[in-house]
CSV table of all heavy atoms in Angstrom, one decimal:
chain,number,residue,atom,x,y,z
A,148,ARG,N,253.6,-11.1,-163.1
A,148,ARG,CA,254.4,-10.8,-164.3
A,148,ARG,C,255.1,-11.9,-164.9
A,148,ARG,O,255.5,-11.9,-166.1
A,148,ARG,CB,255.4,-9.6,-163.9
A,148,ARG,CG,255.7,-8.7,-165.0
A,148,ARG,CD,256.5,-7.5,-164.5
A,148,ARG,NE,257.7,-8.0,-163.8
A,148,ARG,CZ,258.3,-7.2,-162.9
A,148,ARG,NH1,257.8,-6.0,-162.5
A,148,ARG,NH2,259.5,-7.6,-162.3
A,149,ASP,N,255.4,-12.9,-164.1
A,149,ASP,CA,256.2,-14.1,-164.7
A,149,ASP,C,255.3,-15.0,-165.5
A,149,ASP,O,255.8,-15.9,-166.1
A,149,ASP,CB,256.8,-14.9,-163.5
A,149,ASP,CG,257.9,-14.0,-162.9
A,149,ASP,OD1,258.4,-13.2,-163.5
A,149,ASP,OD2,258.2,-14.4,-161.6
A,150,TYR,N,254.0,-14.9,-165.4
A,150,TYR,CA,253.1,-15.7,-166.1
A,150,TYR,C,252.8,-15.2,-167.5
A,150,TYR,O,252.3,-14.0,-167.6
A,150,TYR,CB,251.8,-16.0,-165.3
A,150,TYR,CG,252.0,-16.8,-164.1
A,150,TYR,CD1,252.3,-16.4,-162.9
A,150,TYR,CD2,251.9,-18.3,-164.3
A,150,TYR,CE1,252.5,-17.2,-161.8
A,150,TYR,CE2,252.1,-19.1,-163.2
A,150,TYR,CZ,252.4,-18.6,-162.0
A,150,TYR,OH,252.6,-19.4,-160.8
A,151,HIS,N,253.0,-16.0,-168.5
A,151,HIS,CA,252.8,-15.4,-169.9
A,151,HIS,C,251.7,-16.0,-170.6
A,151,HIS,O,251.5,-15.8,-171.8
A,151,HIS,CB,254.1,-15.7,-170.7
A,151,HIS,CG,255.3,-15.0,-170.2
A,151,HIS,ND1,255.6,-13.6,-170.7
A,151,HIS,CD2,256.3,-15.3,-169.4
A,151,HIS,CE1,256.7,-13.2,-170.0
A,151,HIS,NE2,257.1,-14.2,-169.3
A,152,THR,N,250.7,-16.5,-169.9
A,152,THR,CA,249.5,-17.0,-170.5
A,152,THR,C,248.3,-16.6,-169.6
A,152,THR,O,248.4,-16.7,-168.5
A,152,THR,CB,249.5,-18.5,-170.7
A,152,THR,OG1,248.2,-18.9,-171.1
A,152,THR,CG2,249.8,-19.2,-169.4
A,153,ALA,N,247.2,-16.2,-170.3
A,153,ALA,CA,246.0,-15.8,-169.5
A,153,ALA,C,245.2,-17.1,-169.2
A,153,ALA,O,244.1,-16.9,-168.7
A,153,ALA,CB,245.2,-14.9,-170.4
A,154,GLN,N,245.7,-18.2,-169.4
A,154,GLN,CA,245.0,-19.4,-169.0
A,154,GLN,C,245.4,-20.0,-167.7
A,154,GLN,O,244.7,-21.0,-167.3
A,154,GLN,CB,245.2,-20.5,-170.2
A,154,GLN,CG,244.8,-20.0,-171.6
A,154,GLN,CD,243.4,-19.7,-171.7
A,154,GLN,OE1,242.5,-20.4,-171.1
A,154,GLN,NE2,243.0,-18.6,-172.4
A,155,ASP,N,246.4,-19.6,-167.2
A,155,ASP,CA,246.9,-20.1,-165.9
A,155,ASP,C,246.1,-19.7,-164.8
A,155,ASP,O,245.9,-18.6,-164.4
A,155,ASP,CB,248.3,-19.7,-165.7
A,155,ASP,CG,249.1,-20.6,-164.7
A,155,ASP,OD1,248.6,-21.0,-163.6
A,155,ASP,OD2,250.2,-21.0,-165.1
A,156,PRO,N,245.5,-20.7,-164.1
A,156,PRO,CA,244.7,-20.5,-162.8
A,156,PRO,C,245.4,-19.7,-161.8
A,156,PRO,O,244.8,-19.1,-160.9
A,156,PRO,CB,244.2,-21.9,-162.4
A,156,PRO,CG,245.2,-22.8,-162.9
A,156,PRO,CD,245.6,-22.2,-164.2
A,157,GLU,N,246.8,-19.8,-161.8
A,157,GLU,CA,247.5,-19.1,-160.8
A,157,GLU,C,247.1,-17.5,-160.8
A,157,GLU,O,247.4,-16.9,-159.8
A,157,GLU,CB,249.0,-19.3,-161.0
A,157,GLU,CG,249.9,-18.8,-159.9
A,157,GLU,CD,249.9,-19.6,-158.7
A,157,GLU,OE1,249.3,-20.6,-158.6
A,157,GLU,OE2,250.6,-19.2,-157.7
A,158,ILE,N,246.8,-17.1,-162.0
A,158,ILE,CA,246.6,-15.7,-162.1
A,158,ILE,C,245.4,-15.2,-161.3
A,158,ILE,O,245.6,-14.2,-160.5
A,158,ILE,CB,246.3,-15.4,-163.6
A,158,ILE,CG1,247.5,-15.5,-164.6
A,158,ILE,CG2,245.6,-13.9,-163.8
A,158,ILE,CD1,247.2,-15.3,-166.0
A,159,LEU,N,244.4,-15.9,-161.2
A,159,LEU,CA,243.2,-15.6,-160.2
A,159,LEU,C,243.7,-15.6,-158.8
A,159,LEU,O,243.4,-14.7,-158.1
A,159,LEU,CB,242.1,-16.6,-160.6
A,159,LEU,CG,240.9,-16.3,-159.6
A,159,LEU,CD1,240.3,-14.9,-159.8
A,159,LEU,CD2,239.8,-17.4,-159.8
A,160,TYR,N,244.5,-16.6,-158.4
A,160,TYR,CA,244.9,-16.7,-157.1
A,160,TYR,C,245.8,-15.4,-156.7
A,160,TYR,O,245.7,-14.9,-155.6
A,160,TYR,CB,245.8,-17.9,-156.9
A,160,TYR,CG,246.6,-17.9,-155.6
A,160,TYR,CD1,246.0,-18.4,-154.4
A,160,TYR,CD2,248.0,-17.7,-155.6
A,160,TYR,CE1,246.7,-18.3,-153.2
A,160,TYR,CE2,248.7,-17.7,-154.4
A,160,TYR,CZ,248.0,-18.0,-153.2
A,160,TYR,OH,248.7,-18.1,-152.1
A,161,LEU,N,246.7,-15.1,-157.6
A,161,LEU,CA,247.5,-13.9,-157.3
A,161,LEU,C,246.7,-12.5,-157.3
A,161,LEU,O,247.0,-11.7,-156.5
A,161,LEU,CB,248.6,-13.8,-158.5
A,161,LEU,CG,249.7,-15.0,-158.4
A,161,LEU,CD1,250.6,-14.8,-159.6
A,161,LEU,CD2,250.6,-14.8,-157.1
A,162,LEU,N,245.6,-12.4,-158.2
A,162,LEU,CA,245.0,-11.2,-158.1
A,162,LEU,C,244.2,-11.2,-156.8
A,162,LEU,O,244.1,-10.2,-156.1
A,162,LEU,CB,243.9,-11.2,-159.2
A,162,LEU,CG,244.5,-11.0,-160.7
A,162,LEU,CD1,243.4,-11.1,-161.7
A,162,LEU,CD2,245.2,-9.6,-160.7
A,163,LEU,N,243.6,-12.3,-156.3
A,163,LEU,CA,242.9,-12.3,-155.1
A,163,LEU,C,243.9,-11.9,-153.9
A,163,LEU,O,243.5,-11.3,-152.9
A,163,LEU,CB,242.3,-13.7,-154.8
A,163,LEU,CG,241.1,-13.9,-155.8
A,163,LEU,CD1,240.5,-15.4,-155.5
A,163,LEU,CD2,240.0,-12.9,-155.8
A,164,GLU,N,245.1,-12.5,-154.0
A,164,GLU,CA,246.1,-12.1,-152.9
A,164,GLU,C,246.4,-10.6,-153.0
A,164,GLU,O,246.5,-10.1,-151.8
A,164,GLU,CB,247.4,-12.9,-153.3
A,164,GLU,CG,248.5,-12.6,-152.1
A,164,GLU,CD,249.7,-13.4,-152.5
A,164,GLU,OE1,249.7,-14.4,-153.4
A,164,GLU,OE2,250.8,-13.1,-151.8
A,165,ILE,N,246.5,-10.0,-154.2
A,165,ILE,CA,246.8,-8.6,-154.2
A,165,ILE,C,245.7,-7.8,-153.6
A,165,ILE,O,245.8,-6.8,-152.7
A,165,ILE,CB,247.0,-8.2,-155.7
A,165,ILE,CG1,248.2,-8.8,-156.2
A,165,ILE,CG2,247.0,-6.6,-155.8
A,165,ILE,CD1,248.4,-8.6,-157.7
A,166,PHE,N,244.5,-8.1,-154.0
A,166,PHE,CA,243.3,-7.3,-153.5
A,166,PHE,C,242.9,-7.6,-152.0
A,166,PHE,O,242.2,-6.8,-151.4
A,166,PHE,CB,242.1,-7.5,-154.4
A,166,PHE,CG,242.5,-7.0,-155.8
A,166,PHE,CD1,242.2,-7.8,-156.9
A,166,PHE,CD2,243.2,-5.8,-156.0
A,166,PHE,CE1,242.5,-7.4,-158.2
A,166,PHE,CE2,243.4,-5.4,-157.3
A,166,PHE,CZ,243.1,-6.2,-158.4
A,167,THR,N,243.3,-8.8,-151.6
A,167,THR,CA,243.0,-9.1,-150.1
A,167,THR,C,243.9,-8.2,-149.3
A,167,THR,O,243.5,-7.9,-148.1
A,167,THR,CB,243.3,-10.6,-149.8
A,167,THR,OG1,242.5,-11.4,-150.6
A,167,THR,CG2,243.2,-10.9,-148.3
A,168,VAL,N,245.1,-7.8,-149.8
A,168,VAL,CA,245.8,-6.8,-149.1
A,168,VAL,C,245.1,-5.5,-148.8
A,168,VAL,O,245.1,-5.0,-147.7
A,168,VAL,CB,247.2,-6.5,-149.8
A,168,VAL,CG1,248.0,-5.4,-149.2
A,168,VAL,CG2,248.0,-7.7,-150.0
A,169,PHE,N,244.4,-5.0,-149.7
A,169,PHE,CA,243.6,-3.8,-149.6
A,169,PHE,C,242.5,-4.0,-148.6
A,169,PHE,O,242.2,-3.2,-147.8
A,169,PHE,CB,243.1,-3.3,-151.0
A,169,PHE,CG,244.2,-2.9,-151.9
A,169,PHE,CD1,244.6,-3.7,-152.9
A,169,PHE,CD2,244.7,-1.6,-151.8
A,169,PHE,CE1,245.5,-3.2,-153.7
A,169,PHE,CE2,245.7,-1.1,-152.6
A,169,PHE,CZ,246.2,-2.0,-153.6
A,170,ILE,N,241.8,-5.2,-148.7
A,170,ILE,CA,240.7,-5.5,-147.8
A,170,ILE,C,241.2,-5.6,-146.4
A,170,ILE,O,240.6,-4.8,-145.4
A,170,ILE,CB,240.0,-6.8,-148.3
A,170,ILE,CG1,239.3,-6.7,-149.6
A,170,ILE,CG2,238.9,-7.1,-147.2
A,170,ILE,CD1,238.8,-7.9,-150.1
A,171,ASN,N,242.2,-6.3,-146.1
A,171,ASN,CA,242.8,-6.4,-144.7
A,171,ASN,C,243.3,-5.1,-144.1
A,171,ASN,O,243.2,-5.0,-143.0
A,171,ASN,CB,243.8,-7.5,-144.7
A,171,ASN,CG,243.3,-8.9,-145.0
A,171,ASN,OD1,242.2,-9.2,-144.7
A,171,ASN,ND2,244.2,-9.8,-145.3
A,172,ALA,N,243.8,-4.3,-145.0
A,172,ALA,CA,244.4,-3.0,-144.5
A,172,ALA,C,243.3,-1.9,-144.6
A,172,ALA,O,243.6,-0.7,-144.1
A,172,ALA,CB,245.6,-2.5,-145.4
A,173,ASN,N,242.1,-2.1,-144.9
A,173,ASN,CA,241.0,-1.3,-145.0
A,173,ASN,C,241.5,0.0,-145.9
A,173,ASN,O,241.4,1.2,-145.5
A,173,ASN,CB,240.6,-0.8,-143.6
A,173,ASN,CG,239.3,-0.1,-143.6
A,173,ASN,OD1,238.4,-0.3,-144.5
A,173,ASN,ND2,239.1,0.8,-142.7
A,174,ALA,N,242.2,-0.3,-147.0
A,174,ALA,CA,242.9,0.7,-147.8
A,174,ALA,C,242.1,1.3,-148.9
A,174,ALA,O,242.6,2.1,-149.6
A,174,ALA,CB,244.2,0.2,-148.2
A,175,LEU,N,240.9,0.7,-149.2
A,175,LEU,CA,240.1,1.3,-150.2
A,175,LEU,C,239.6,2.6,-149.9
A,175,LEU,O,239.3,3.0,-148.7
A,175,LEU,CB,238.9,0.4,-150.5
A,175,LEU,CG,239.2,-1.0,-151.1
A,175,LEU,CD1,238.0,-1.8,-151.3
A,175,LEU,CD2,240.0,-0.9,-152.4
A,176,ILE,N,239.5,3.6,-151.0
A,176,ILE,CA,239.2,4.9,-150.7
A,176,ILE,C,237.8,5.2,-151.1
A,176,ILE,O,237.3,4.8,-152.3
A,176,ILE,CB,240.1,5.8,-151.6
A,176,ILE,CG1,241.5,5.7,-151.1
A,176,ILE,CG2,239.6,7.4,-151.4
A,176,ILE,CD1,242.5,6.3,-152.2
A,177,LYS,N,236.9,5.7,-150.1
A,177,LYS,CA,235.5,6.0,-150.6
A,177,LYS,C,235.4,7.2,-151.5
A,177,LYS,O,236.0,8.2,-151.3
A,177,LYS,CB,234.8,6.3,-149.1
A,177,LYS,CG,233.2,6.4,-149.4
A,177,LYS,CD,232.6,6.6,-148.1
A,177,LYS,CE,231.0,6.6,-148.3
A,177,LYS,NZ,230.3,6.8,-147.0
A,178,VAL,N,234.7,7.0,-152.5
A,178,VAL,CA,234.5,8.0,-153.5
A,178,VAL,C,233.2,8.9,-153.1
A,178,VAL,O,232.1,8.3,-153.2
A,178,VAL,CB,234.2,7.5,-155.0
A,178,VAL,CG1,234.1,8.6,-155.9
A,178,VAL,CG2,235.5,6.7,-155.3
A,179,ARG,N,233.4,10.0,-152.5
A,179,ARG,CA,232.2,10.7,-152.0
A,179,ARG,C,231.6,11.5,-153.0
A,179,ARG,O,230.3,11.6,-153.0
A,179,ARG,CB,232.8,11.7,-150.8
A,179,ARG,CG,233.4,11.0,-149.8
A,179,ARG,CD,233.9,12.0,-148.7
A,179,ARG,NE,234.6,11.3,-147.6
A,179,ARG,CZ,233.9,10.6,-146.6
A,179,ARG,NH1,232.6,10.6,-146.6
A,179,ARG,NH2,234.6,10.0,-145.7
A,180,THR,N,232.3,12.0,-154.1
A,180,THR,CA,231.6,12.7,-155.1
A,180,THR,C,232.3,12.3,-156.4
A,180,THR,O,233.3,11.6,-156.5
A,180,THR,CB,231.9,14.3,-155.0
A,180,THR,OG1,233.3,14.5,-155.0
A,180,THR,CG2,231.2,14.8,-153.7
A,181,THR,N,231.6,12.6,-157.6
A,181,THR,CA,232.2,12.2,-158.8
A,181,THR,C,233.5,12.9,-159.0
A,181,THR,O,233.7,14.1,-158.9
A,181,THR,CB,231.2,12.8,-159.9
A,181,THR,OG1,229.9,12.2,-159.8
A,181,THR,CG2,231.7,12.3,-161.4
A,182,ASN,N,234.4,12.1,-159.6
A,182,ASN,CA,235.7,12.7,-159.7
A,182,ASN,C,235.7,13.7,-160.9
A,182,ASN,O,235.3,13.4,-162.0
A,182,ASN,CB,236.8,11.6,-160.2
A,182,ASN,CG,238.2,11.9,-160.2
A,182,ASN,OD1,238.6,13.0,-160.4
A,182,ASN,ND2,239.0,11.0,-159.5
A,183,THR,N,236.2,14.9,-160.6
A,183,THR,CA,236.1,16.1,-161.6
A,183,THR,C,237.5,16.5,-161.9
A,183,THR,O,237.7,17.6,-162.4
A,183,THR,CB,235.3,17.2,-161.1
A,183,THR,OG1,235.8,17.6,-159.8
A,183,THR,CG2,233.8,16.7,-160.9
A,184,LYS,N,238.5,15.8,-161.7
A,184,LYS,CA,239.9,16.3,-161.9
A,184,LYS,C,240.0,16.5,-163.4
A,184,LYS,O,240.8,17.4,-163.9
A,184,LYS,CB,241.0,15.3,-161.4
A,184,LYS,CG,241.1,15.3,-160.0
A,184,LYS,CD,242.1,14.3,-159.4
A,184,LYS,CE,242.3,14.3,-158.0
A,184,LYS,NZ,243.3,13.4,-157.4
A,185,ILE,N,239.5,15.6,-164.3
A,185,ILE,CA,239.3,15.9,-165.7
A,185,ILE,C,237.9,16.4,-166.0
A,185,ILE,O,237.0,15.8,-165.8
A,185,ILE,CB,239.6,14.6,-166.5
A,185,ILE,CG1,241.0,14.1,-166.5
A,185,ILE,CG2,239.2,14.9,-168.0
A,185,ILE,CD1,241.4,13.0,-167.4
A,186,PRO,N,237.9,17.7,-166.4
A,186,PRO,CA,236.6,18.4,-166.6
A,186,PRO,C,235.8,17.7,-167.6
A,186,PRO,O,236.3,17.0,-168.6
A,186,PRO,CB,237.0,19.8,-167.0
A,186,PRO,CG,238.4,20.0,-166.5
A,186,PRO,CD,239.0,18.6,-166.6
A,187,ASP,N,234.4,17.8,-167.5
A,187,ASP,CA,233.5,17.1,-168.4
A,187,ASP,C,233.8,17.6,-169.9
A,187,ASP,O,233.6,16.9,-170.8
A,187,ASP,CB,232.0,17.4,-168.0
A,187,ASP,CG,231.7,16.4,-166.9
A,187,ASP,OD1,232.4,15.6,-166.5
A,187,ASP,OD2,230.6,16.8,-166.2
A,188,TYR,N,234.1,18.9,-169.9
A,188,TYR,CA,234.3,19.4,-171.3
A,188,TYR,C,235.5,18.8,-172.0
A,188,TYR,O,235.5,18.7,-173.2
A,188,TYR,CB,234.4,21.0,-171.4
A,188,TYR,CG,235.4,21.7,-170.4
A,188,TYR,CD1,236.7,21.7,-170.9
A,188,TYR,CD2,235.1,22.1,-169.1
A,188,TYR,CE1,237.7,22.4,-170.1
A,188,TYR,CE2,236.1,22.7,-168.4
A,188,TYR,CZ,237.3,22.8,-168.8
A,188,TYR,OH,238.4,23.4,-168.0
A,189,VAL,N,236.5,18.6,-171.2
A,189,VAL,CA,237.7,17.8,-171.8
A,189,VAL,C,237.3,16.4,-172.2
A,189,VAL,O,237.7,15.9,-173.3
A,189,VAL,CB,238.9,17.7,-170.8
A,189,VAL,CG1,240.0,16.8,-171.3
A,189,VAL,CG2,239.4,19.1,-170.5
A,190,LYS,N,236.5,15.7,-171.4
A,190,LYS,CA,236.0,14.4,-171.8
A,190,LYS,C,235.1,14.4,-173.0
A,190,LYS,O,235.2,13.5,-173.8
A,190,LYS,CB,235.2,13.8,-170.5
A,190,LYS,CG,236.1,13.5,-169.4
A,190,LYS,CD,235.2,13.0,-168.2
A,190,LYS,CE,236.2,12.7,-167.0
A,190,LYS,NZ,235.4,12.1,-165.9
A,191,VAL,N,234.3,15.5,-173.1
A,191,VAL,CA,233.5,15.7,-174.3
A,191,VAL,C,234.4,15.7,-175.6
A,191,VAL,O,234.1,15.0,-176.5
A,191,VAL,CB,232.6,16.9,-174.2
A,191,VAL,CG1,231.9,17.1,-175.6
A,191,VAL,CG2,231.5,16.7,-173.2
A,192,CYS,N,235.5,16.4,-175.5
A,192,CYS,CA,236.4,16.6,-176.7
A,192,CYS,C,237.1,15.3,-176.9
A,192,CYS,O,237.2,14.9,-178.1
A,192,CYS,CB,237.4,17.7,-176.4
A,192,CYS,SG,236.7,19.4,-176.3
A,193,ILE,N,237.5,14.6,-175.9
A,193,ILE,CA,238.1,13.3,-176.1
A,193,ILE,C,237.2,12.2,-176.8
A,193,ILE,O,237.6,11.6,-177.8
A,193,ILE,CB,238.6,12.7,-174.8
A,193,ILE,CG1,239.9,13.5,-174.1
A,193,ILE,CG2,239.1,11.2,-174.9
A,193,ILE,CD1,240.2,13.1,-172.7
A,194,ASP,N,236.0,12.3,-176.4
A,194,ASP,CA,235.0,11.3,-177.0
A,194,ASP,C,234.7,11.8,-178.4
A,194,ASP,O,234.5,10.9,-179.3
A,194,ASP,CB,233.8,11.2,-176.1
A,194,ASP,CG,234.1,10.6,-174.8
A,194,ASP,OD1,234.9,9.9,-174.7
A,194,ASP,OD2,233.2,10.8,-173.9
Side-chain angles (χ1 to χ4, degrees):
R148 207 170 60 205
D149 290 338
Y150 287 89
H151 291 276
T152 171
Q154 302 299 320
D155 201 312
E157 184 78 4
I158 288 173
L159 178 58
Y160 168 80
L161 292 170
L162 289 175
L163 295 180
E164 181 180 349
I165 291 168
F166 299 133
T167 298
V168 172
F169 291 103
I170 295 175
N171 290 339
N173 196 27
L175 293 180
I176 301 169
K177 186 175 182 180
V178 179
R179 300 184 183 277
T180 58
T181 302
N182 196 319
T183 57
K184 289 182 179 178
I185 290 188
D187 284 344
Y188 56 82
V189 172
K190 294 180 181 180
V191 168
C192 292
I193 290 173
D194 292 337

